[in-house]
Amino acid sequence: MSNEAELKAKFWKALKSDRTGLIGLRGGEGGRAQPMTFVLDGDETEAAWIFSAVDVDLVKETGAGAPALLHFASKGHDLFAAVDGRLTIETDPEMVERLWNPFIAAWYEGKDDPKLRLLRFEPGQAQIWLNENSLFAGVKMLLGVDPKKDYDDKTAEVRL
């Protein structure tokens, strides 16, 4: 049986591994989310970081901070999440230094690029769904077994 701590740990592990999700601002222009790549700071699970550019709509609308929503699906589709949170622009150059890596460097003219912006996504409430047994669920359905009971403990509302 999955509990809240296990679901949180699985979410952070999947986000660290897959790194891409859709993020948008609540009430933002058009209400659209856009794909962004996340960077996690070691084992910290209090924030996810996004390197972006000053001319990106998400950055322009974030300003001093804004309520945001992250939609995430792991590559194997074994975990899905919808996460409410807050998105802010980080101005600490030490954080840019700490998170900088070759993948980020490929997009910018260096750590001092005037177009570079670092966003901090601080998660709040999340709904997480595990889909660990989709193959078995399909087999059970073919055999006439109701697979819904297997999913009773695979979804939860958690505070990240």
Side-chain angles (χ1 to χ4, degrees), residues 39-41 49 51 95-101 104 118:
V39 180
L40 299 182
D41 185 19
W49 303 88
F51 283 89
M95 192 52 131
V96 171
E97 179 70 35
R98 188 159 74 210
L99 299 173
W100 193 258
N101 64 55
I104 302 301
L118 179 60

Side-chain angles (χ1 to χ4, degrees), residues 23 38 46-48 68 70 83-87 119-123:
I23 190 163
F38 293 87
E46 295 177 8
L70 164 65
V83 184
D84 281 309
R86 188 142 195 90
L87 196 62
L119 302 176
R120 175 186 170 102
F121 177 72
E122 297 176 47

Side-chain angles (χ1 to χ4, degrees), residues 1-15:
M1 175 193 274
S2 294
N3 64 33
E4 189 172 318
E6 288 174 319
L7 286 170
K8 286 182 192 182
K10 286 180 181 187
F11 167 77
W12 286 111
K13 182 178 179 182
L15 186 62

Side-chain angles (χ1 to χ4, degrees), residues 24-75:
L25 300 178
R26 288 202 172 271
E29 186 90 17
R32 289 186 212 110
Q34 59 192 87
M36 295 299 240
T37 300
F38 293 87
V39 180
L40 299 182
D41 185 19
D43 292 329
E44 178 192 5
T45 56
E46 295 177 8
W49 303 88
I50 304 163
F51 283 89
S52 192
V54 68
D55 57 350
V56 171
D57 290 340
L58 185 65
V59 174
K60 288 191 243 179
E61 293 176 24
T62 297
L69 182 61
L70 164 65
H71 298 276
F72 175 75
S74 66
K75 286 180 186 171

Side-chain angles (χ1 to χ4, degrees), residues 112-130:
D112 297 325
D113 187 331
K115 293 181 181 179
L116 178 68
R117 294 295 180 271
L118 179 60
L119 302 176
R120 175 186 170 102
F121 177 72
E122 297 176 47
Q125 203 63 23
Q127 187 160 20
I128 300 172
W129 299 267
L130 293 181

